[in-house]
Amino acid sequence: MMTDRIYGEIPGNPTGTSYASRREAATAGVHRPLQAGICGGPDGAESVVVSGGYVDDFDNGDEIIYTGQGARDPDTRLQVANQELTRGNLGLARNCLEGLPVRVVRGHEGESTLSPVSGYRYDGLFYVADYWQEIGKDGYRIWRFRLVSSAPQPSNSRATTSVPASKQQLRQGNIEVERSADFRKSARIVRDLHDHTCQVCGLRLQTPAGPYALVVHIRATTAPHYGTHAIDNLLCLCPNDAVRFSTGAVYIDEACMVRESDTGKTLGKLRVRPNHKVDCEHIRYHREHYSGAAER
Ligand SMILES: [Zn+2]
């Protein structure tokens, strides 16, 4: 059965609204479950509570690294098994793929100076910019989500309507839309070395304005991955394969073969050029954090 989710603001509950308890926030419709940290399912997630309950959480104000739900001992709060990409975790992943906003509620249990002194506070809409899996501090696999505030820049609120195209792409996994000079320079080198030809499928997409290819980071540059713009951390890909790689639908194995996460099927060898070697450590990082291979 489909839940009638509300993505976005709840009328009468602007950013900064306080609630004395989880029940009060639930009654307002801002975060409906009384226990779960994520209000979501396979169709998407509408809200999360950031309460500092997970040792791996990280809150930087505009950017939150949020740990998924599940497999935690209710008494010790320790992780006791691997988390799965199901329920609310799957919901947050769908938000990332579809560009859906998620309401963020901060709780007083949060260790951060950003948390309210008591009760709960609605802190606005965030977007899920990226998600991946890793081994948490307790030794089990956890799912992590990079939530980025959608708060408009104060001086130029009109400008936000002209930005969405790039913002939207930014939200779709780690597809790089960064416009820094360092990235532009490296991206141009990589496109030239491959003559705009996809390193996975060999497609050279021709448009009326010339060839088109995306350059993506193998290891994202954002926290907590901290990859670089060096060309050994970049791939030249067609749009389809850029999405497949950044979402982990395909990965590259130890033998430099491109494989499908779903089936493990080999799609062929990664196309390389003499002057463009990729760093195997970055490839391994991507495989372990983004692909289904990590679960096999
Ligand atoms: Zn391709």
Side-chain angles (χ1 to χ4, degrees), residues 198-203 237-241:
C198 176
Q199 289 185 254
V200 167
C201 72
L203 176 74
L237 299 173
C238 74
N240 271 3
D241 284 317

Side-chain angles (χ1 to χ4, degrees), residues 65-180:
I65 308 296
Y66 186 80
T67 304
Q69 63 183 195
R72 196 168 60 147
D73 185 295
D75 298 324
T76 65
R77 309 194 98 190
L78 292 173
Q79 204 68 34
V80 292
N82 289 332
Q83 289 184 348
E84 303 297 332
L85 191 60
T86 55
R87 300 160 56 220
N89 300 342
L90 181 56
L92 284 172
R94 295 306 308 176
N95 284 47
C96 180
L97 296 179
E98 294 176 15
L100 297 168
V102 64
R103 292 185 296 276
V104 165
V105 176
R106 284 195 177 89
H108 60 92
E109 308 97 322
E111 294 163 359
S112 162
T113 52
L114 301 153
S115 304
V117 178
S118 66
Y120 297 85
R121 185 184 64 220
Y122 170 57
D123 276 350
L125 297 177
F126 281 61
Y127 285 88
V128 183
D130 193 11
Y131 63 93
W132 64 92
Q133 56 187 309
E134 64 185 53
I135 303 301
K137 287 174 184 153
D138 295 333
Y140 292 99
R141 185 179 67 223
I142 55 174
W143 283 91
R144 304 190 82 190
F145 303 87
R146 193 164 75 88
L147 311 179
V148 178
S149 172
S150 70
Q153 296 309 300
S155 62
N156 206 358
S157 58
R158 284 265 160 213
T160 55
T161 50
S162 64
V163 185
S166 59
K167 279 255 181 195
Q168 182 65 25
Q169 271 187 296
L170 234 173
R171 286 170 208 141
Q172 295 183 345
N174 60 0
I175 292 183
E176 190 51 63
V177 290
E178 183 168 335
R179 297 289 179 251
S180 77

Side-chain angles (χ1 to χ4, degrees), residues 56-67 127-134 144-148 170 173-174 176 178 217 219-229 233 285 289-290:
D56 301 284
D57 279 355
F58 160 97
D59 189 348
N60 198 15
D62 289 343
E63 185 186 41
I64 298 167
I65 308 296
Y66 186 80
T67 304
Y127 285 88
V128 183
D130 193 11
Y131 63 93
W132 64 92
Q133 56 187 309
E134 64 185 53
R144 304 190 82 190
F145 303 87
R146 193 164 75 88
L147 311 179
V148 178
L170 234 173
N174 60 0
E176 190 51 63
E178 183 168 335
H217 287 103
R219 181 172 180 146
T221 54
T222 45
H225 313 297
Y226 302 118
T228 72
H229 298 314
N233 188 36
Y285 187 91
H289 289 78
Y290 290 87

